Amino acid sequence: GDSVTQMEGPVTLSEEAFLTINCTYTATGYPSLFWYVQYPGEGLQLLLKATKADDKGSNKGFEATYRKETTSFHLEKGSVQVSDSAVYFCALKSEGGSEKLVFGKGTKLTVNP
Amino acid sequence: DGGITQSPKYLFRKEGQNVTLSCEQNLNHDAMYWYRQDPGQGLRLIYYSQIVNDFQKGDIAEGYSVSREKKESFPLTVTSAQKNPTAFYLCASSPRSWYASYNEQFFGPGTRLTVL
C-alpha cells in the first residue's frame, strides 16, 4: 500500500540555519503531496502542497518540490526562526479520488535563538 | 469564521467507560475524518465519512464507533473495547471530489483523552 517515510528527528538548529527535512513516498500513479505543521498542543495546519510532478509548493519561506523520479518531497527553508519550532508531517493522497491521507511519522524541529 | 471545533480539549475517562468526542465543522465540507495521534507514530485513520449517513473504517477502527447524521457533525465514541485509548484525537474535513486528489484536509485543534 501507499506509504510515506520521513527523516527521523528530532532536528535541532540555530536561528537562521538552513533546514531540510527529507520525505520519500511509495504510491502508484501520481499522488498529491502535502506538508503539514503542528505546533505544540494544536491540530495540524497545511503548510504547502504539490499536485503533480515538478510542482513546487511554497509558503512562509518553506519550499518543497515534487520529484517523481526520486519519489521525494523534501521540505526546505533557507533561514529558520524560533517560531518555526514544531512537528512537521509529510503526507500523500492517492490518485483517483481517494479521500484518505497517508502520513509520515513526523519530524520534530527545535530552533534555538 | 469557518473552521472545525472539537470539544472538549481535555477529557478524562475511567477504564471501562465509553466516551464521545465531538467534532463540528461549518466549512460546508462533505468529507470528515477521525485520526489518532500517538508519540512517534504519526497520525492513523480511525474512521472517515464522505457523505451524510455513510462512513467507512480506517486503519484502526476496532474499539471505536461513529455516526454521521448531519453534514456538520461527526462524533467519535471510544468504547470500552478500545484497549489503549489514551491518545490525542484529531478531527478533519475536506471538500469532496470524485477526481481531484489535491484537496487538502482541514484539522480541528484536537482532544486529548486520558484513561485513568
Side-chain angles (χ1 to χ4, degrees):
Chain A
D2 297 346
S3 66
V4 174
T5 302
Q6 284 181 242
M7 65 184 286
E8 292 193 15
V11 174
T12 302
L13 296 173
S14 297
E15 206 164 22
E16 299 184 1
F18 184 85
L19 169 71
T20 299
I21 300 178
N22 290 338
C23 172
T24 57
Y25 68 89
T26 301
T28 54
Y30 291 85
S32 293
L33 302 172
F34 305 83
W35 276 102
Y36 281 85
V37 59
Q38 184 179 34
Y39 298 101
E42 298 183 7
L44 274 66
Q45 303 173 25
L46 180 70
L47 183 58
L48 52 84
K49 69 180 182 183
T51 59
K52 60 182 186 294
D54 300 324
D55 264 3
K56 177 186 282 188
S58 61
N59 185 26
K60 300 180 181 179
F62 291 90
E63 292 183 339
T65 301
Y66 187 165
R67 301 287 188 200
K68 179 69 174 172
E69 63 275 15
T70 55
T71 61
S72 65
F73 193 54
H74 305 321
L75 182 68
E76 297 182 335
K77 187 175 185 182
S79 177
V80 293
Q81 306 300 311
V82 172
S83 57
D84 294 326
S85 298
V87 180
Y88 293 82
F89 291 93
C90 185
L92 71 81
K93 186 182 262 192
S94 298
E95 189 179 25
S98 170
E99 303 294 345
K100 295 170 62 174
L101 273 176
V102 176
F103 285 89
K105 293 188 176 182
T107 302
K108 183 177 181 180
L109 170 66
T110 301
V111 180
N112 295 318
Chain B
D1 286 339
I4 302 174
T5 56
Q6 291 186 244
S7 60
K9 188 169 180 62
Y10 298 96
L11 189 56
F12 297 90
R13 184 194 99 176
K14 291 183 179 179
E15 213 168 322
Q17 289 181 336
N18 292 355
V19 62
T20 298
L21 282 59
S22 168
C23 177
E24 304 277 333
Q25 55 98 359
N26 61 3
L27 300 167
N28 200 33
H29 287 167
D30 288 297
M32 297 186 73
Y33 315 81
W34 275 106
Y35 293 92
R36 171 181 170 138
Q37 185 178 19
D38 296 282
Q41 297 246 11
L43 278 72
R44 293 180 290 171
L45 182 66
I46 305 173
Y47 268 98
Y48 65 104
S49 168
Q50 295 181 299
I51 197 167
V52 174
N53 292 323
D54 187 43
F55 48 82
Q56 288 78 42
K57 292 182 179 180
D59 301 317
I60 55 164
E62 186 175 351
Y64 300 97
S65 65
V66 293
S67 62
R68 187 81 188 279
E69 297 176 2
K70 299 187 299 182
K71 187 175 183 178
E72 311 81 54
S73 178
F74 191 41
L76 173 75
T77 297
V78 184
T79 74
S80 57
Q82 170 50 234
K83 298 304 179 189
N84 185 20
T86 295
F88 190 51
Y89 290 88
L90 287 159
C91 178
S93 71
S94 69
R96 188 184 183 199
S97 170
W98 288 107
Y99 300 106
S101 60
Y102 53 76
N103 290 332
E104 67 187 86
Q105 289 184 14
F106 295 78
F107 284 80
T111 292
R112 186 165 297 280
L113 173 64
T114 302
V115 174
L116 304 173

